[in-house]
Amino acid sequence: MKKTIMITGATSGIGEACARLLAVDGHRLVLTGRRLDRLERLSEELINAGAGGVHFLGMDVRDRAAVEAGISKLPSGWKTIDVLINNAGLALGLSGIDGGDPGEWDQMLDTNVKGLLYVSRAVIPLMAERRQGQIINIGSIAGRETYPNGNVYCATKHAVSSLTKGMRLDLLPYGIRVSQVSPGAVETEFSLVRFHGDAQKAKGVYRGFRPLSGEDVAVAVKFAIDLPGHVNVDDLLLMPSAQASATMIRRDESEGGAH
Ligand code: NDP
Ligand code: 8X3
């Protein structure tokens, strides 16, 4: 069945990979992110790839008024959102709690937790009135384990995990399915953002082993979407085969690298 699927953070990485994979199935896509030029380019490409339609929305999920306005002003045909993929998120820095940057803490909490809440709060009534829908939150291994220097980022992903459970409980009466897909290391722009554009440092995170790709995670998201309505993925933990925990990664020593 063709669905209307909204993806936050579709300009790169996991969100972009989900958009590409779901376009091929002919779904209608509502793509969001801050980088409008990327959304514009991707939309054109996805129409050619078979998407049933693409509507893009330049919005910062931290801006509650912009989120509410953007979603309430969707053209009426685009308000029947069947699936919301709450993917927009980021880590900033990797340092001890004693040396952390409170400005970066704000940005992570505002994006990963409050942004997810703002978008969900605006979309849920549209699903509730139709008594159907699915929300897929992109969690993380960092929402299962706290690793050294991951402090605030890990806390935001623990919050996503808790909110996923809370949504599942509260939205049960409306028949809205709530899922979480929690990946381990995925090579995207994530580490480039975390290390403030330091490409060498970002590359080092993935050196010596094969991380997940955005496409690998998109396959898991598509799996959750394609299941029949009576089946729900509660939480799918998806790891690279070379990663046994947040910090234990089997690396080819000849290539070096560090987490
Ligand atoms: P990327 O940096 O490649 O993509 C992040 C996306 O989030 C971009 O599209 C970006 O869009 C969007 N985004 C960030 N901040 C905002 C904001 N304030 N408003 C709107 N959109 C925003 O990283 P990933 O694809 O890896 O990350 C996607 C999700 O996956 C995140 O929630 C991350 O925590 C999670 N994750 C990542 C893992 C990894 O190892 N990479 C592992 C587990 C989970 P734009 O900049 O255009 O706004
Ligand atoms: C991203 C994966 O392990 O870098 O959520 O936190 S990790």
Side-chain angles (χ1 to χ4, degrees):
M1 195 184 76
K2 309 291 181 220
K3 298 185 173 182
T4 301
I5 301 176
M6 178 168 176
I7 306 172
T8 67
T11 57
S12 127
I14 295 169
E16 183 179 356
C18 288
R20 285 184 202 283
L21 190 64
L22 296 167
V24 173
D25 285 348
H27 296 299
R28 283 156 33 101
L29 302 171
V30 182
L31 306 180
T32 81
R34 290 167 301 176
R35 288 169 287 184
L36 261 179
D37 53 330
R38 289 195 184 196
L39 289 175
E40 215 165 342
R41 247 183 290 132
L42 184 63
S43 300
E44 263 177 45
E45 186 196 315
L46 297 187
I47 289 290
N48 293 329
V54 181
H55 184 88
F56 63 89
L57 205 55
M59 79 187 184
D60 186 328
V61 295
R62 293 171 297 171
D63 183 342
R64 178 150 57 101
V67 168
E68 287 169 358
I71 292 169
S72 75
K73 286 185 187 144
L74 280 173
S76 60
W78 288 92
K79 282 191 174 167
T80 52
I81 297 171
D82 299 298
V83 182
L84 166 63
I85 304 174
N86 273 319
N87 164 76
L90 80 174
L92 288 171
L94 187 67
S95 59
I97 196 85
D98 47 325
D101 176 342
E104 294 189 337
W105 296 348
D106 284 346
Q107 193 173 342
M108 288 187 275
L109 289 159
D110 289 349
T111 308
N112 302 359
V113 183
K114 290 164 69 181
L116 179 144
L117 282 169
Y118 297 157
V119 174
S120 303
R121 181 67 184 82
V123 170
I124 286 166
L126 304 175
M127 292 180 170
E129 73 183 17
R130 298 171 60 225
R131 303 256 153 199
Q132 65 179 70
Q134 181 175 22
I135 298 174
I136 302 177
N137 294 327
I138 303 299
S140 171
I141 181 67
R144 304 268 190 113
E145 295 174 40
T146 303
Y147 52 82
N149 302 322
N151 43 67
V152 175
Y153 175 69
C154 294
T156 67
K157 288 298 176 178
H158 277 72
V160 170
S161 187
S162 178
L163 288 170
T164 302
K165 289 176 195 145
M167 286 180 184
R168 191 178 305 121
L169 296 171
D170 297 349
L171 301 180
L172 188 65
Y174 302 109
I176 298 173
R177 292 191 287 173
V178 183
S179 307
Q180 178 169 247
V181 173
S182 303
V186 192
E187 189 164 12
T188 59
E189 293 180 13
F190 178 84
S191 293
L192 195 64
V193 171
R194 169 171 249 174
F195 297 121
H196 316 105
D198 184 334
Q200 278 303 103
K201 218 166 165 182
K203 229 173 155 23
V205 173
Y206 311 107
R207 196 169 298 133
F209 77 106
R210 184 164 179 187
L212 299 174
S213 63
E215 292 71 26
D216 294 326
V217 183
V219 169
V221 169
K222 176 177 149 56
F223 169 72
I225 292 173
D226 288 347
L227 284 169
H230 69 288
V231 184
N232 187 53
V233 167
D234 275 18
D235 189 0
L236 198 162
L237 179 63
L238 189 77
M239 301 291 283
S241 302
Q243 184 176 13
S245 77
T247 51
M248 283 205 60
I249 296 179
R250 188 188 71 249
R251 296 178 195 266
D252 177 345
E253 293 303 331
S254 63
E255 292 184 44
H259 185 68

